[in-house]
Amino acid sequence: MQLGNYFGALRNWVIGQHECDGFYGIADLHALTVTDTPNVVGQATLELAAMFFAVGLDPDVATAFVQSHVPEHTQLSWVMACNVSFGELTRMTQFKDKTAKREGEFTSGALFTYPTLMAADILLYDAEEVPVGDDQRQHLEITRDIAIRFNSRFGETFVIPRAITPKAGARVMDLQDPTSKMSKSAASDAGLVNMLDDPAVILKKFKRAVTDSESDVRFDRETKPGISNLLEIHAAATGRTPDEIAKGYTQYGPLKADTGDAVVELLRPIQARYAELMDDRGELVALLRKGSAKARSVASATLARVYEHIGLVPR
Ligand code: AMP
């Protein structure tokens, strides 16, 4: 996770948990489509979970859980597979893109059936709204198609979900290339602020941030992308506006230093909580189990309804 993920997504989830009945699943089973090494997915799951709780997802409010802890996901995914056509799955552009990228490598069958598990992820929770980026819109469409088809075959069972555009958080640009979004896949680490970077590293990255040859401090993304990015990050970290912050500076140096400080202060408690949870695996797993139990109580009722509507013999 990097600073862009936090301002663009995580922070909105933390706010959103009080506005709706949110389910935040860590899709470890989906990760298996491209995994061939033991323990990698489990470790990544724990790290992501620790970050969820460290940024403020509250286990008493939100339902944060691990997909593999809720067996109904794989159970419903089979039913989904039985209600989607081969042709529909073949049309998924993500599948075409991913297999093209993996040419010559092992391509799992699960990469092809992936949308059936994703449909289960969504429909199990009677989700009304699913915040998705553009790359996942087609998978949400196929989920709707499967749900509509199932309802017409077996009677009203699923809530038909709607894609919503996630609330726009601040857009964080690369500190070395402020016309590109900050991203894990950036060419160099110098423009990327990781959530777990040391304070000294963060300060150094801000100190070296690319600016421009003028010297005035104002918020203007078009002509001053570097300075505007610093102002936007500073604003997001302190709850003020970029224009307001710009008024306090006449030079780039102090703006860079103060923005670095603001980010360090913002991340300090998050990093501390993260370290605490990673040091206390028992506590972390207990929090996840609590979320998984809540998720399961909803998921198992949905699966029971599905089996009943299909008319399977009760256990
Ligand atoms: P990714 O890890 O790129 O799949 O991004 C996960 C989420 O983080 C997406 O929903 C984006 O909205 C958000 N995100 C990632 N990078 C940035 C960024 N540089 N600025 C704002 N939001 C971002």
Side-chain angles (χ1 to χ4, degrees), residues 238-268:
T238 56
R240 295 161 67 203
T241 68
D243 286 321
E244 209 181 336
I245 289 163
K247 288 192 192 113
Y249 294 91
T250 53
Q251 288 177 305
Y252 293 171
L255 171 66
K256 289 182 183 184
D258 290 354
T259 305
D261 281 335
V263 169
V264 166
E265 288 318 312
L266 172 83
L267 295 185
R268 195 186 299 285

Side-chain angles (χ1 to χ4, degrees), residues 240-309:
R240 295 161 67 203
T241 68
D243 286 321
E244 209 181 336
I245 289 163
K247 288 192 192 113
Y249 294 91
T250 53
Q251 288 177 305
Y252 293 171
L255 171 66
K256 289 182 183 184
D258 290 354
T259 305
D261 281 335
V263 169
V264 166
E265 288 318 312
L266 172 83
L267 295 185
R268 195 186 299 285
I270 295 175
Q271 292 185 348
R273 180 68 182 137
Y274 178 90
E276 236 171 59
L277 285 168
M278 288 305 286
D279 278 348
D280 188 351
R281 223 177 135 123
E283 163 74 3
L284 180 56
V285 171
L287 293 179
L288 283 174
R289 287 203 180 123
K290 183 170 179 176
S292 299
K294 278 206 282 178
R296 237 192 135 178
S297 69
V298 180
S300 59
T302 308
L303 187 70
R305 194 166 75 230
V306 168
Y307 282 180
E308 189 197 323
H309 288 191

Side-chain angles (χ1 to χ4, degrees), residues 56-164:
L57 278 187
D58 180 345
D60 290 323
V61 177
T63 304
F65 67 97
V66 180
Q67 189 184 30
S68 65
H69 291 186
V70 184
E72 286 78 5
H73 285 255
T74 42
Q75 292 175 288
L76 186 63
S77 127
W78 177 254
V79 178
M80 302 285 98
C82 297
N83 285 279
V84 69
S85 73
F86 180 77
E88 283 170 317
L89 289 176
T90 311
R91 285 195 286 279
M92 293 295 108
T93 53
Q94 284 253 322
F95 174 70
K96 290 184 208 164
D97 292 350
K98 285 192 177 164
T99 45
K101 277 194 202 131
R102 297 176 72 82
E103 209 183 322
E105 280 181 75
F106 179 81
T107 301
S108 64
L111 214 47
F112 183 67
T113 55
Y114 186 106
T116 64
L117 183 56
M118 182 160 159
D121 296 341
I122 295 168
L123 299 180
L124 275 177
Y125 299 101
D126 293 332
E128 288 165 353
E129 297 181 336
V130 187
V132 284
D134 281 340
D135 60 333
Q136 290 300 328
R137 275 186 191 271
Q138 204 186 17
H139 288 160
L140 204 267
E141 266 316 306
I142 203 173
T143 300
R144 288 169 55 90
D145 292 343
I146 297 172
I148 291 167
R149 179 175 296 129
F150 187 97
N151 285 354
S152 81
R153 285 179 172 176
F154 300 104
E156 279 309 302
T157 307
F158 294 120
V159 172
I160 309 300
R162 210 170 43 250
I164 55 163

Side-chain angles (χ1 to χ4, degrees), residues 2-9 166 169-173 181-183:
Q2 39 92 5
L3 198 61
N5 295 132
Y6 180 70
F7 286 135
R171 199 159 41 116
V172 180
M173 311 307 276
K181 261 173 80 163
M182 186 178 284
S183 158

